[in-house]
Amino acid sequence: MTRLMDAKKNSKEDEIELSLRPKFLKEYIGQKELKHNLEIFIGAAKHRNEVLDHTLLYGPPGLGKTTLAYIIANEMKTKVRLINGPSVERPGDLASILSTLDPGEILFIDAIHRLPRVVEEILSSALEDFKLITISGMGENATSIDIPLPPFTLIGATTRAGALSSPLRARFGITEKFNFYSLDESEQIVRRTSKVFKTKISEEAIKLIAARSRGTPRIANRLFRRVRDFANFEHKDEITTVIATKALTALKVDKLGLDDVDIRYLTAIMERFHGGPVGLEAIASSIGEEVMNLEDVYEPYLIQIGLINRTPRGRIATDKAYSHLEKNHGFSLFKS
Ligand code: ADE
């Protein structure tokens, strides 16, 4: 079974993804409220000739946070410097990035919740007063030097806003949440991607791909490319319903877009834990996955489509989950 939920690991895929990206807000599909708010904040900042306030974008992976950061830079007519939270290991790494920013530049920190605490602290104070405070020397000889920073905008992206320290969270003037895309929006994404790739595709095939993309553009685009491979392998230039069905069956992407981790997760709740409630740690260790990965990457969609419920006593598989996996409810003393 194909794993659909891998993070952005593959640089070739990253490159393709980049070529697909819309450049302006008006080309960006979905996230209507967020887009509307940003249109106003960007327009107002430009009118005042100021940088945009620091912006925190949060929500499940693959929903277009990075794409939106590039769009903001484009709309603000400025450059963007992209870094990854876990790669900024020491305060000095952050200092060298901040002190070389051009005025007005956007610093995009992906997975900002994974910045080490010491780095997070320095960033918080730098955002507060556009000054970088560095300490040199030890003990009584320690001196602090303030380096003034140019005005810039930090865009932080995270799958878990709650994991940021509150001083850092308080520095963001704009906080926007990403939601899963509706079926109609997912279809628009696939249609747009087919145009970018100049590939003909039937409306029915668009629907098939969109329905399996779990409301996530990154997955819709990946599925589109794999389905196109099946067409091209048969020397066909058009993606028909027949080819799309064949490809999606071969890729073993189920009708709701669940991959093998979702299936093992749900099966574990049903078979090992009698349908729940069961703690996430117990599920994670029984299927050999990380708690954080399940919580940030898998559960939001399973909750959204109503296959699990999160209760104070743990996770519960719903009736819909049982019927989707064609499993019978076991009888348990603990079930109501
Ligand atoms: N690619 C990733 N997210 C997108 C979106 N919301 N609209 C268009 N293309 C996208």
Side-chain angles (χ1 to χ4, degrees):
M1 187 177 255
T2 316
R3 226 171 142 140
L4 295 170
M5 295 304 298
D6 285 343
K8 302 171 270 183
K9 276 181 193 149
N10 176 330
S11 65
K12 172 127 191 299
E13 297 239 325
D14 277 2
E15 257 174 52
I16 299 171
E17 189 106 14
L18 207 67
S19 72
L20 283 174
R21 280 187 184 145
K23 305 272 182 300
F24 297 97
L25 269 183
K26 65 177 186 320
E27 302 169 65
Y28 191 87
I29 294 157
Q31 311 298 342
K32 207 164 148 228
E33 287 170 18
L34 173 162
K35 218 163 47 182
H36 178 64
N37 289 345
L38 278 172
E39 230 162 26
I40 291 169
F41 303 147
I42 290 171
K46 278 164 78 174
H47 177 71
R48 292 192 299 261
N49 224 350
E50 287 175 0
V51 294
L52 185 71
D53 238 351
H54 302 306
T55 301
L56 182 65
L57 306 176
Y58 73 99
L63 299 190
K65 297 189 281 292
T66 308
T67 304
L68 193 70
Y70 278 100
I71 289 178
I72 293 174
N74 239 344
E75 298 274 2
M76 292 295 301
K77 298 192 171 37
T78 184
K79 288 193 298 181
V80 57
R81 179 121 41 123
L82 188 145
I83 56 173
N84 213 326
S87 70
V88 190
E89 288 173 10
R90 293 175 306 254
D93 299 337
L94 181 71
S96 69
I97 294 163
L98 291 177
S99 58
T100 55
L101 286 175
D102 287 335
E105 198 168 346
I106 287 177
L107 174 63
F108 177 70
I109 308 186
D110 202 5
I112 192 166
H113 64 286
R114 292 177 61 199
L115 279 178
R117 276 287 139 158
V118 276
V119 176
E120 201 183 66
E121 277 164 20
I122 290 179
L123 180 62
S124 304
S125 77
L127 296 179
E128 186 163 20
D129 45 16
F130 286 106
K131 258 193 275 175
L132 191 61
I133 300 163
T134 59
I135 312 268
S136 65
M138 303 272 275
E140 279 182 11
N141 298 322
T143 49
S144 126
I145 307 164
D146 293 354
I147 304 171
L149 296 172
F152 69 97
T153 299
L154 172 69
I155 301 182
T158 179
T159 50
R160 38 173 58 202
L164 296 193
S165 69
S166 37
L168 180 55
R169 220 169 335 138
R171 300 277 92 81
F172 290 98
I174 301 169
T175 298
E176 294 289 344
K177 176 175 187 275
F178 281 66
N179 295 309
F180 288 109
Y181 291 68
S182 68
L183 194 55
D184 179 60
E185 289 162 352
S186 302
E187 287 171 14
Q188 290 180 49
I189 301 251
V190 177
R191 199 172 292 115
R192 181 182 177 278
T193 301
S194 72
K195 289 202 177 110
V196 174
F197 281 117
K198 299 188 173 54
T199 305
K200 274 201 190 163
I201 180 166
S202 75
E203 274 301 305
E204 194 62 30
I206 289 176
K207 284 191 165 50
L208 286 174
I209 296 173
R212 285 163 172 77
S213 69
R214 55 196 300 153
T216 305
R218 188 186 296 152
I219 297 180
N221 289 335
R222 267 188 200 159
L223 283 179
F224 172 85
R225 293 199 301 274
R226 295 294 78 79
V227 173
R228 186 183 62 146
D229 286 344
F230 274 73
N232 294 165
F233 181 74
E234 293 184 11
H235 301 282
K236 299 210 168 83
D237 294 327
E238 181 172 354
I239 298 173
T240 59
T241 309
V242 173
I243 289 174
T245 306
K246 195 156 123 185
L248 292 165
T249 308
L251 292 167
K252 292 205 175 76
V253 184
D254 91 355
K255 286 206 165 59
L256 293 177
L258 304 190
D259 78 5
D260 92 295
V261 178
D262 297 292
I263 305 287
R264 286 191 290 116
Y265 172 103
L266 292 170
T267 309
I269 301 184
M270 293 173 189
E271 293 184 351
R272 295 199 199 174
F273 304 106
H274 315 288
V278 53
L280 179 58
E281 288 75 13
I283 306 171
S285 77
S286 88
I287 61 171
E289 293 288 332
E290 280 177 26
V291 169
M292 232 211 254
N293 195 36
L294 293 178
E295 197 166 19
D296 295 352
V297 180
Y298 286 92
E299 289 192 334
Y301 182 66
L302 293 173
I303 293 168
Q304 162 91 10
I305 59 171
L307 294 193
I308 60 162
N309 281 330
R310 224 164 22 185
T311 74
R313 289 170 58 219
R315 276 57 171 169
I316 296 175
T318 62
D319 290 346
K320 186 176 172 191
Y322 279 91
S323 60
H324 182 67
L325 294 191
E326 294 175 0
K327 289 195 193 294
N328 292 322
H329 274 90
F331 290 102
S332 155
L333 288 175
F334 305 107
K335 273 197 83 68
S336 52

